[in-house]
Amino acid sequence: MQANQVRQFVERYLATFSAHIVESHPDYLTVKLPVEVDKDIGNRPFYWSWVDKMNLAYQPLVLTFAFHPDRMPDGLRAEHLHLGAGRMQQIFASAKKHGQFVCMYEQNTASLPATGKRRSTPLVPWLGINLKVSFLCDKRRDLMLYLGVNLHQPRVVHDFSTYLFQLPLSPAIPDYFYTLDRKISVEDALQMARQEAEAVIAKEDQAWAAEAKARLAEELDILAAYYEELAKREPQAEQADADDEEAEKAEEPQAAQAIVPLPQTEAPPVAEPVVEATQTIDEYRSSGGRILDFLRANGIQVTPREEINQEEWKKSTPEEEKQRRMDELRWQYEPRIEVHFINGGLFYLHSNPPVQKLSGAKTVRHLPANGRIM
């Protein structure tokens, strides 16, 4: 996203919550955050817990967002908003949280007669679903599906979101309109969307999965050859270590004869500090004493260090290491498909979207898919 795209998104996000814009400059934007926005991006959880518990009046947070790093405002504490900024990620998460599900009505007043007796016009319920289909192996391709399911006369259309952008929509039902009953449930509509997504995936080419499996087999063969060679060299390395140990043992008696023992002298005993039993630990600490000395003087046992279990730190065997690396290669190269729900909504429309069969998928780059959904 470019700087102008970031600004447009932020302005739309703030306008959705009816945020008060204090100052709008070509280079920056000063805004007074509403309650919902402040709780999502204000980074004041302790303040809000205190306000909610004490039932106090809300003090709005004022922030200044700059969109050009080389044109920061003078005399204002501003932060640069860009695609990778932490505050921008918070805005994305807040928009997803509040805007993942919507309910909108088409404001089609052109269908009403200009004069004479007005008659009520029906609005047809539609379920809009946006899905992201990811084809994964050692490469990745994302395919977007914008599906619309008619809940009154069951049918599925593609590229539904593009059609919605052309319509005047509002969260309130307009005058002289009424909504038709839904003949299928939302669960049945979701099942229809799932079947349509499976049909789209089934029509994709399957060559990419075979190519990924071929690359996986090649990597596994290389890994197996490496550990076979390692197993051949391991006995030679063990024999060399054994020879070194025998040579060290043969040199130990000669080294012991060369060592002349020195007379040992007893070290003077270290006097432990005496601590009066009537003195508390807080008084002893305030006088500058150590807690450990206080515990020793008063006969309080000190917890010994736990012995380390050497078996837990045992070095992994070549077979265990080989199996772990094989599992990593399979996770990286094995072809799989993941379907993620992005957002959706219930739309009541007077217009009738055109039927587009298996032609509305938006893809990043060409990479065929297999037919498995995970």
Side-chain angles (χ1 to χ4, degrees), residues 129-133 143-147 158 197 200 360-362:
I129 303 174
N130 297 328
L131 303 175
K132 182 175 74 171
V133 183
L143 181 143
M144 306 301 297
L145 293 177
Y146 309 109
L147 303 178
H158 283 253
V200 172
K362 306 297 182 181

Side-chain angles (χ1 to χ4, degrees), residues 41-116:
I41 72 172
N43 298 329
R44 300 196 297 173
F46 296 105
Y47 169 79
W48 280 110
S49 62
W50 177 64
V51 168
D52 295 339
K53 184 177 296 185
M54 302 300 294
N55 196 18
L56 300 176
Y58 160 62
Q59 298 296 328
L61 181 65
V62 179
L63 295 178
T64 300
F65 300 131
F67 305 96
H68 302 279
D70 53 345
R71 292 182 290 182
M72 301 293 287
D74 296 333
L76 291 176
R77 184 178 178 181
E79 57 179 301
H80 177 216
L81 271 190
H82 54 91
L83 185 59
R87 186 83 69 177
M88 197 65 191
Q89 301 305 316
Q90 290 179 330
I91 293 176
F92 287 148
S94 177
K96 183 178 181 181
K97 171 185 174 183
H98 295 284
Q100 194 169 19
F101 302 96
V102 296
C103 181
M104 306 291 284
Y105 300 86
E106 182 182 359
Q107 306 289 320
N108 192 355
T109 57
S111 60
L112 298 176
T115 58

Side-chain angles (χ1 to χ4, degrees), residues 159-187:
D159 209 8
F160 187 64
S161 296
T162 304
Y163 177 76
L164 291 178
F165 290 145
Q166 305 172 2
L167 302 177
L169 300 176
S170 172
I173 185 171
D175 297 334
Y176 302 102
F177 283 87
Y178 68 95
T179 59
L180 295 177
D181 295 334
R182 291 179 288 181
K183 294 185 178 180
I184 63 173
S185 63
V186 175
E187 290 76 11

Side-chain angles (χ1 to χ4, degrees), residues 209-320:
E211 294 172 358
K213 291 180 180 179
R215 291 193 297 270
L216 173 60
E218 182 180 358
E219 292 291 334
L220 292 176
D221 292 340
I222 295 174
L223 185 65
Y226 168 77
Y227 279 98
E228 288 178 2
E229 184 67 22
L230 185 64
K232 294 178 182 179
R233 296 181 181 180
E234 192 172 12
Q236 301 177 0
E238 291 178 356
Q239 184 63 32
D241 294 340
D243 296 340
D244 293 340
E245 290 179 0
E246 292 179 358
E248 290 177 359
K249 290 180 180 179
E251 294 176 356
E252 283 180 0
Q254 300 177 0
Q257 295 176 1
I259 297 175
V260 178
L262 297 176
Q264 297 181 356
T265 58
E266 295 183 358
V270 179
E272 295 184 356
V274 179
V275 181
E276 298 179 358
T278 57
Q279 192 177 21
T280 63
I281 187 171
D282 294 333
E283 295 174 352
Y284 185 71
R285 289 181 60 188
S286 61
S287 62
R290 297 191 309 167
I291 299 178
L292 186 60
D293 296 336
F294 179 86
L295 296 177
R296 288 173 178 172
N298 289 272
I300 302 176
Q301 297 181 357
V302 181
T303 304
R305 293 185 177 180
E306 296 180 358
E307 296 182 359
I308 299 177
N309 188 2
Q310 297 294 334
E311 295 181 356
E312 297 180 358
W313 300 88
K314 184 176 63 176
K315 183 180 179 180
S316 59
T317 63
E319 288 297 327
E320 294 174 348

